[in-house]
Amino acid sequence: MHPIITTEQRSQLQENGYFILENLFSTEDMAELTLRIETFQKRHEEELVKKGGTEGISRADEISFTAFLAEQDEAIAAFAKRSEFVAITTQLLGADIDLYWNQSVFKAPEGNKEFPWHQDDGYTPVSPSPYLTLWLALNDATTENGCISVLPGSHKSGLAPHEQTPIGLNCYPSDAPNQGVPVPLKAGSIAVFLSLTFHKSGVNRSNGYRKAYILQYSQSPLKNMRTGEIIANRIPLTRNSVAV
Ligand SMILES: O=C(O)CCC(=O)C(=O)O
């Protein structure tokens, strides 16, 4: 079973709400996965343009969130079920795990907006909470191209109020003196954080796309706290700590 989550990483998650797993996957793995993802991301971009440039929190030529990738592609599903994810999630969450949500997030060069501070639970509050968000860098994420930042300790006060803005939900001022910790990541590295940890991503000032694949794993079953319903049609990862 790999990787083994160290005592230090566990206490970072508990205290700060996040930790980093460096170089979990090879650059070859990331190149292959990116190719598969780009088929869907490009199609989504084309649809965005046809729809006038925006849909939900995606904006053509700025930022696109392309969801349900593992549900549509066998190779991406196989990636989301890799033993690395079994190891991480069973150690941190428990024995029965599902892939709750998965999406790519591509930030276009010279986009001029941050993606605002939020908790993932702010978009859909669920129980049990928190679940785990694994933010995987498909290419190098840097402070120049809009890597994420996290606010250490912000997970400790539960679900914060979020206000709707034109570019996404927001739970923390973008002009507060404490703007958290930037988390640059090499391709193939992961930021592991809790669904209650405040995070945002920066402006992409580079001349290339910043590409990420976000995998969110939760205990099974998972309830939508707005509707009270069990969230159906998720991809099972483990039962009794064994991959399924
Ligand atoms: O990758 C990004 O730019 C931000 C994505 C994010 O925070 C999210 O999807 O929750």
Side-chain angles (χ1 to χ4, degrees):
M1 198 161 93
H2 59 111
I4 304 295
I5 305 299
T6 64
T7 310
E8 192 188 351
Q9 288 166 335
R10 261 179 210 282
S11 62
Q12 285 171 349
L13 192 63
Q14 219 161 32
E15 283 310 305
N16 298 333
Y18 79 103
F19 66 89
I20 310 301
L21 284 171
E22 275 176 34
N23 303 319
L24 190 60
F25 299 109
S26 68
T27 42
E28 292 76 26
D29 277 346
M30 292 302 91
E32 215 173 286
L33 180 62
T34 303
L35 272 183
R36 308 286 307 195
I37 288 177
E38 277 176 348
T39 309
F40 297 94
Q41 190 272 338
K42 284 183 180 146
R43 199 182 299 158
H44 185 206
E45 277 281 340
E46 285 163 16
E47 283 163 13
L48 278 176
V49 172
K50 277 190 213 145
K51 287 178 178 163
T54 59
E55 184 189 32
I57 50 176
S58 293
R59 302 187 303 278
D61 297 326
E62 287 185 59
I63 187 166
S64 60
F65 296 79
T66 309
F68 304 116
L69 296 168
E71 287 81 350
Q72 300 177 74
D73 185 278
E74 271 179 28
I76 301 176
F79 180 82
K81 295 187 124 193
R82 275 180 67 146
S83 58
E84 289 87 345
F85 298 122
V86 171
I88 297 165
T89 59
T90 50
Q91 288 171 85
L92 293 175
L93 281 180
D96 295 338
I97 306 295
D98 290 336
L99 178 67
Y100 158 47
W101 188 264
N102 69 109
Q103 65 186 9
S104 61
V105 187
F106 280 32
K107 276 203 147 181
E110 296 170 22
N112 61 3
K113 294 183 188 72
E114 291 196 332
F115 186 66
W117 284 110
H118 65 283
Q119 297 166 301
D120 289 334
D121 268 1
Y123 279 84
T124 306
V126 293
S127 176
S129 167
Y131 57 84
L132 277 185
T133 292
L134 307 187
W135 195 101
L136 168 63
L138 294 173
N139 63 353
D140 292 354
T142 63
T143 48
E144 194 199 3
N145 73 7
C147 68
I148 54 164
S149 293
V150 299
L151 195 63
S154 53
H155 61 296
K156 289 185 175 172
S157 310
L159 188 57
H162 285 65
E163 64 161 349
Q164 191 82 50
T165 81
I167 54 171
L169 295 177
N170 179 248
C171 70
Y172 185 76
S174 60
D175 58 357
N178 181 1
Q179 286 299 302
V181 181
V183 185
L185 291 171
K186 287 275 174 214
S189 300
I190 288 187
V192 177
F193 51 89
L194 300 170
S195 57
L196 288 171
T197 306
F198 290 21
H199 59 287
K200 68 169 180 178
S201 67
V203 169
N204 183 353
R205 296 191 173 85
S206 77
N207 49 23
Y209 271 84
R210 193 229 64 197
K211 304 175 184 181
Y213 180 42
I214 296 178
L215 304 109
Q216 295 175 323
Y217 295 94
S218 71
Q219 294 175 50
S220 180
L222 189 69
K223 191 191 277 188
N224 179 327
M225 292 307 282
R226 283 205 189 104
T227 64
E229 282 166 9
I230 297 295
I231 301 173
N233 299 326
R234 298 179 311 138
I235 296 177
L237 182 72
T238 62
R239 293 294 179 264
N240 291 322
S241 300
V242 175
V244 289

